Amino acid sequence: MPQTKSETVPVRSTSEVVMVRHMVRRWAVEIGFSIVEQTKIVTAASELARNMVDYGGGGVVVLEALDDGIRRGLRLTFEDKGPGIADVEQALRDGYTSGGGMGLGLGGARRLSNEFEIRSKPGEGTRVMIARWKGAS
Amino acid sequence: MAESRNDALLQVLRDNEQEILRGWLQLQERDLSLRNNLLRSGELEQQSRDFLAALRGALSAGDTDILTSEAWAPVRELMTSIARSRARQGFTPTETATFVFSLKQPLFTALRAHASGDDLAEQIWSSTLLLDSLGLLVTETYQKGREEVIARQQQELLELSTPVVQLWAGVLALPLIGTLDSARTQVVMESLLQAIVDTGSAIAIIDITGVPVVDTLVAQHLLKTVAAARLMGADCIISGIRPQIAQTIVHLGVEINDVITKATLADAFSIALQRLGLAVVRRTAKAV
Ligand SMILES: Nc1ncnc2c1ncn2[C@@H]1O[C@H](COP(=O)(O)OP(=O)(O)O)[C@@H](O)[C@H]1O
Ligand SMILES: [Mg+2]
């Protein structure tokens, strides 16, 4: 996928979660996302970035603006070297939380995105990739 | 070896302190000429004089460990206080670092009169190392000072931006604006609950028109507040849920079915009045 722009930013604290949200919003506006599309990807990013801070001991997010000649989109990859998730299926289940949250972050981020991929290994870390295309529902 | 090199520096400082001070002040005043208003007259000279004296003291102790040793503590303290005050006064990082770096020229001029050849090169090199690490210390402290200023401003904003207002006897409103990170949300929600107690209000309207993102953490805070208010005998109405936020909340899977929601604060207020058995009516000419 041809990528027109890419940036990696660290996410270690709540204030950096806020910063990531602002960045994602800026990139989404640049790509030409509608207000609804912007809000969806910013919200998904907020969930995944916060999970890295809350459970992954902090990590990085890679922002990529995509353009394949027909579609434009935004891909976000959240990667941490934290404890990982033993049972990904369970973590994705609505309402499951190990930390007193609502347990809707992972499932919610998946529903808010056009593409969603999660890879996690206990002891090694977690990587979540989401993408959203302009004009896709 | 390092000590003997610094001994030369010490010697030069001792012999030429007034001259070095004068040259140094001239350079600083030139670099800061646009900033005169930021420093009280005499302040710069006092700081520079104190610094040279502290530097002389540290050098004469013969210890080269600038960052941790006891001998350098007075220098570090002085640098820290200068950097901090400059951060607060609104100096740029460059202007702040200039304090240290502009000492090089008059110091090297004095060294040149004291030695030549390899000796001079060695002395200039070790003095450069010394001033560079002091410069880094100043820059780092300046950065910390700026962060403190920002943190304080954030704290002030946090307190400023929690206005619980009474719309009517028994009706409170909390217009939320901006990012709801957890610290601020906590403060805001607690101030609402406190106001409910203080005023004995039966209805509280939480307006989220100005909240750009409602993620599960924000939603959880909102729902917790609604539940806590209910325990205290007040019903909450959430207003200002814009269409994009409503859609996102649905996708997240957050259930807000048992919370009263209204599109606008005005709608919410009208429901509140209704509940209290009040109505707003237009005065007609006859009624007057
Ligand atoms: N980056 C991560 N590293 C380790 N565990 C994670 C990570 N992200 C999510 N999890 C696990 O998945 C669970 C569900 O996450 P989520 O759906 O966001 O709900 P919540 O954050 O409310 O707990 C978390 O409680 C946690 O146990
Ligand atoms: Mg979460």
Side-chain angles (χ1 to χ4, degrees):
Chain A
M1 184 63 50
Q3 130 209 332
T4 55
K5 191 167 127 184
S6 160
E7 201 171 326
T8 304
V9 288
V11 189
R12 292 156 305 205
S13 62
T14 303
S15 63
E16 283 175 333
V17 172
V18 176
M19 240 167 54
V20 164
R21 278 205 305 254
H22 283 286
M23 269 187 86
V24 171
R25 170 84 65 186
R26 218 174 326 114
W27 285 46
V29 168
E30 250 171 54
I31 291 167
F33 279 4
S34 71
I35 289 282
V36 172
E37 289 169 330
Q38 289 169 33
T39 309
K40 283 181 175 175
I41 195 153
V42 169
T43 309
S46 185
E47 296 297 341
L48 299 174
R50 196 182 308 283
N51 279 353
M52 288 203 300
V53 172
D54 287 351
Y55 308 111
V60 296
V61 52
V62 183
L63 294 87
E64 292 166 287
L66 308 173
D67 190 345
D68 65 1
I70 305 163
R71 304 180 298 175
R72 302 189 70 193
L74 183 53
R75 178 162 60 204
L76 307 173
T77 308
F78 302 80
E79 194 159 7
D80 67 62
K81 299 212 171 351
I85 303 172
D87 186 343
V88 172
E89 194 95 340
Q90 178 191 48
L92 275 164
R93 201 171 306 139
D94 280 354
Y96 174 80
T97 176
S98 65
M102 295 190 92
L104 295 169
L106 284 177
R110 176 157 67 175
R111 286 185 291 272
L112 288 167
S113 308
N114 298 135
E115 288 169 32
F116 179 93
E117 217 179 84
I118 180 166
R119 228 173 260 188
S120 188
K121 246 194 177 160
E124 285 181 23
T126 303
R127 207 188 73 157
V128 184
M129 188 276 292
I130 59 172
R132 168 157 275 287
W133 298 99
K134 178 174 152 53
S137 65
Chain B
M1 198 55 212
E3 277 167 35
S4 73
R5 269 184 257 142
N6 280 340
D7 281 347
L9 184 59
L10 177 59
Q11 189 62 43
V12 162
L13 254 181
R14 273 195 187 125
D15 295 348
N16 308 279
E17 187 155 342
Q18 285 314 311
E19 216 180 304
I20 291 171
L21 178 65
R22 218 173 320 119
W24 186 24
L25 278 173
Q26 256 170 23
L27 281 178
Q28 293 189 73
E29 273 156 14
R30 191 198 62 199
D31 289 339
L32 297 175
S33 59
L34 297 173
R35 290 291 193 151
N36 271 343
N37 49 333
L38 288 179
L39 276 181
R40 264 171 304 161
S41 63
E43 189 177 342
L44 187 63
E45 182 170 346
Q46 192 58 49
Q47 287 175 347
S48 306
R49 204 180 281 284
D50 292 348
F51 176 77
L52 287 182
L55 182 62
R56 195 159 28 78
L59 285 170
S60 59
D63 200 324
T64 53
D65 188 357
I66 295 170
L67 293 181
T68 54
S69 76
E70 193 63 33
W72 283 88
V75 175
R76 288 196 303 270
E77 267 160 37
L78 197 60
M79 305 263 51
T80 308
S81 96
I82 290 173
R84 259 171 219 272
S85 78
R86 291 195 178 193
R88 274 198 302 274
Q89 286 168 318
F91 281 82
T92 67
T94 309
E95 285 167 336
T96 305
T98 289
F99 179 74
V100 172
F101 293 131
S102 60
L103 177 57
K104 282 185 184 176
Q105 193 177 319
L107 205 57
F108 294 175
T109 305
L111 280 171
R112 219 170 283 131
H114 176 87
S116 61
D118 283 353
D119 278 353
L120 178 62
E122 283 252 312
Q123 286 167 16
I124 287 192
W125 175 240
S126 68
S127 308
T128 298
L129 288 181
L130 183 115
L131 288 178
D132 284 353
S133 48
L134 285 176
L136 284 178
L137 180 67
V138 165
T139 312
E140 247 170 55
T141 314
Y142 170 89
Q143 187 59 35
K144 278 203 202 102
R146 291 302 297 167
E147 279 164 14
E148 280 167 17
V149 169
I150 291 168
R152 200 189 59 232
Q153 286 169 342
Q154 277 175 345
Q155 191 63 34
E156 282 165 3
L157 211 61
L158 209 105
E159 284 155 12
L160 270 177
S161 56
T162 56
V164 180
V165 289
Q166 188 160 32
L167 294 182
W168 199 265
V171 185
L172 294 177
L174 175 66
L176 294 177
I177 293 169
T179 296
L180 289 180
D181 56 56
S182 41
R184 182 167 166 244
T185 314
Q186 198 69 24
V187 173
V188 170
M189 298 312 177
E190 273 165 24
S191 68
L192 176 65
L193 296 177
Q194 188 59 50
I196 288 174
V197 174
D198 293 347
T199 60
S201 294
I203 298 174
I205 302 169
I206 303 176
D207 185 77
I208 61 167
T209 308
V211 178
V213 176
V214 177
D215 58 10
T216 61
L217 185 68
V218 172
Q220 189 179 33
H221 277 300
L222 287 173
L223 292 176
K224 273 187 185 162
T225 307
V226 171
R230 203 168 276 160
L231 283 178
M232 289 165 14
D235 275 334
C236 287
I237 304 173
I238 298 180
S239 67
I241 303 185
R242 286 156 300 149
Q244 64 269 27
I245 302 284
Q247 274 199 46
T248 314
I249 289 177
V250 170
H251 279 95
L252 283 173
V254 174
E255 298 273 349
I256 51 167
N257 294 340
D258 59 344
V259 181
I260 313 162
T261 58
K262 285 285 151 205
T264 67
L265 181 55
D267 292 342
F269 183 47
S270 131
I271 287 283
L273 290 179
Q274 229 174 10
R275 288 221 172 172
L276 295 176
L278 299 165
V280 178
V281 294
R282 185 182 298 278
R283 261 202 314 205
T284 62
K286 258 184 258 163
V288 176

